Amino acid sequence: MTDIPASWQPRLAAKARLRWDNVEKRHLLVFPEAALLLNETAVAILKLCDGERTIEQIVDTLAQQFVGTDRTLIADQVTELLTRLQTRGLLETERQ
Amino acid sequence: MTAPRPYTLVAELTYRCPLRCPYCSNPVNFHAMREELSTDQWCQVFSEAADLGVVQLHLSGGEPVVRKDLPALIRHARQCDLYTNLITGGTLLTAENLKQFRDSGLDHVQLSIQDTDRETAEHIAGIRSYDKKLEVARLIKQLGFPLTLNVVLHRFNIDHVPELIALGAELGAQRLELANTQYYAWGLENQKALLPTRAQRDRAEAIALEARARYRGTMEIAFVQVDYFAEEPKACMGGWARTYMCITPTGEVLPCHAAHVIPGLSFDSVRHQSLGTIWRESSALNAFRGDDWMQEPCRSCPKKTVDFGGCRCQAFLLAGDAAATDPVCHYSPHHQAVLEAVAAAEHEQAPLVYRDLKNSERLSGHS
């Protein structure tokens, strides 16, 4: 598995689309042949993956949004989600 | 029974197709089903599917690109927020129509490739198409579409899995489907010609699994089994009418491409009823939902919630009873039929029966 550097500016791959699901009342990440139901934390993280912000900036922004949550915990959640998505080819890889 | 949520709709827009592949999943008697749904009817279906919870839409065929209204259909599907995939043989694609599809909101293209060897590829497709397909694959990428390459595997190309993987990587495919022929419809007509040997299949699978790990994160590699070689049946369609539906060019709602073959089932049409009513109430879709219909050995089997008894079409085709255990299962009293087909593949040969109008008429008793 590739390590995720703090300077990486992640962006969703062109094949993946984030959308609201009216049946489950949750966000879905849809891509060829499958879809992932996301929790609110994952949605908050993905909405910041714009190809401009670095991982570090994403964690900073989330720390401001979720006041009182430990920054290390947020960083771990970001790394975990992005690693999972990267393994499935759901993030743009050209910046690595 | 409450109907589950459907996630996937395969819209077979037409049975017309310039290719003549002998493993085609369209019904053998497709010649008799020519009255296609209109643009408005399909748009209505897409809206109703999205309301039911469908997320994935596959525009398939035949060759869907023969439909002149394809851009309008794509536009409507995107308005319904469906993830829209074009399943195509590619021979009718051009930079112009691909741009039009992209601007209409198409998410993804799945292109079929018959082989890396030109002669075999064109022998299987039944027409000259090899160069055109490669050219189209590059165009699809240039226009920014995510690309899935789909290769149906059989005796003549399964030894080329390493070359097919290299081609997928070279073309920048985000997904490569190495899908062994499923023996229904035209595939079943051609089973003696197409079924690979066990050694061929074992080699191909080992190579595909090794490559899957190597390409993880860049190109997803799917290897769809020949279920004849398995001891346990596939969880066909993830269960009958559970998450998946297929609508034929004429508007009938099926649980899979092949279900037409089962006698005694009456499939309802979106021409007469809403998709929601059909999904919930169709007697054909309810026929094999859940497990009340199961016989032994399925009924008392702990795996019945995993494999759903396998494939209903295969049970009918090989055991003569759509409610029987899929004969691929080694507990099936009809498992011998599968073993015999596999043994025969070691030495038998047969000429290819191409999927075309003439053969469709001939095989369904019209001349």
Side-chain angles (χ1 to χ4, degrees), chain B residues 145-365:
Chain B
F145 285 111
L147 168 70
T148 291
L149 274 192
N150 176 284
V151 191
V152 175
L153 297 180
H154 42 75
R155 179 184 298 188
F156 302 104
N157 67 0
I158 195 167
D159 296 331
H160 303 159
V161 160
E163 291 85 350
L164 288 163
I165 292 167
L167 178 67
E170 186 211 313
L171 292 172
Q174 58 88 29
R175 179 176 157 94
L176 174 68
E177 290 181 356
L178 300 166
N180 277 284
T181 302
Q182 302 294 306
Y183 294 98
Y184 307 95
W186 294 88
L188 189 61
E189 290 293 331
N190 284 292
Q191 188 220 83
K192 282 195 166 58
L194 296 178
L195 193 64
T197 65
R198 192 178 285 273
Q200 280 186 301
R201 171 264 185 194
D202 289 349
R203 218 164 32 233
E205 186 187 32
I207 293 165
L209 292 185
E210 184 276 325
R212 178 188 291 168
R214 196 150 37 91
Y215 285 100
R216 183 158 291 149
T218 54
M219 179 171 74
E220 185 185 350
I221 300 178
F223 187 81
V224 181
Q225 297 287 352
V226 202
D227 58 354
Y228 279 33
F229 293 110
E231 297 233 303
E232 290 172 351
K234 61 190 172 208
C236 195
M237 312 320 294
W240 180 274
R242 212 164 140 265
T243 64
Y244 182 104
M245 62 173 104
C246 174
I247 302 186
T248 68
T250 59
E252 286 177 297
V253 183
L254 312 185
C256 68
H257 310 67
H260 259 141
V261 80
I262 301 176
L265 292 180
S266 146
F267 294 104
D268 294 312
S269 169
V270 294
R271 288 179 201 269
H272 310 301
Q273 282 172 290
S274 77
L275 188 59
T277 305
I278 296 173
W279 180 251
R280 287 184 295 270
E281 296 173 16
S282 156
S283 61
L285 297 187
N286 280 319
F288 302 112
R289 275 189 175 137
D291 55 17
D292 285 349
W293 55 271
M294 284 184 185
Q295 309 169 354
E296 292 297 347
C298 286
R299 178 169 280 278
S300 58
C301 179
K303 289 225 166 136
K304 70 179 174 185
T305 54
V306 177
D307 61 29
F308 310 101
C311 171
R312 298 304 88 227
C313 303
Q314 195 145 272
F316 169 72
L317 291 167
L318 302 182
D321 178 0
T325 297
D326 185 337
V328 159
C329 182
H330 63 303
Y331 293 122
S332 160
H334 300 276
H335 187 52
Q336 193 59 27
V338 174
L339 297 181
E340 279 165 17
V342 169
E346 303 287 338
H347 50 86
E348 281 191 33
Q349 285 181 22
L352 293 179
V353 180
Y354 285 105
R355 175 253 196 239
D356 55 28
L357 214 47
K358 213 175 76 205
N359 282 331
S360 174
E361 287 171 357
R362 181 175 62 80
L363 290 166
S364 29

Side-chain angles (χ1 to χ4, degrees), chain A residues 18-83:
Chain A
L18 186 63
R19 51 157 280 188
W20 179 250
D21 184 59
N22 238 336
V23 180
E24 300 275 343
K25 308 291 180 206
R26 278 164 77 176
H27 275 89
L28 269 180
L29 186 64
V30 192
F31 49 97
E33 303 295 330
L36 296 174
L37 268 173
L38 301 179
N39 59 26
E40 280 174 41
T41 316
V43 176
I45 297 170
L46 279 185
K47 286 191 167 164
L48 296 172
C49 294
D50 55 4
E52 300 291 328
R53 289 184 176 87
T54 61
I55 300 276
E56 205 161 8
Q57 288 166 333
I58 291 171
V59 174
D60 286 343
T61 312
L62 289 168
Q64 285 161 21
Q65 273 177 31
F66 298 95
V67 183
T69 313
D70 181 28
R71 197 182 183 283
T72 323
L73 181 74
I74 294 176
D76 285 351
Q77 284 179 331
V78 169
T79 310
E80 193 201 316
L81 177 73
L82 295 186
T83 307

Side-chain angles (χ1 to χ4, degrees), chain A residues 1-2 14-25 28-35 37 85-91 93, chain B residues 5 7 50-56 58 78 80-85 105 107-108 110 144 146 148 174-175 177 216-218 220:
Chain A
M1 181 135 337
T2 340
K15 68 177 177 181
R17 189 138 66 79
L18 186 63
R19 51 157 280 188
W20 179 250
D21 184 59
N22 238 336
V23 180
E24 300 275 343
K25 308 291 180 206
L28 269 180
L29 186 64
V30 192
F31 49 97
E33 303 295 330
L37 268 173
L85 297 182
Q86 192 187 25
T87 312
R88 301 191 71 158
L90 296 171
L91 296 174
T93 49
Chain B
R5 172 184 179 171
Y7 280 90
D51 289 344
L52 282 173
V54 167
V55 173
Q56 301 275 356
H58 300 288
R78 270 308 295 263
C80 301
D81 223 356
L82 294 166
Y83 191 93
T84 307
N85 174 28
D107 285 295
H108 179 266
Q110 176 179 324
T148 291
Q174 58 88 29
R175 179 176 157 94
E177 290 181 356
R216 183 158 291 149
T218 54
E220 185 185 350

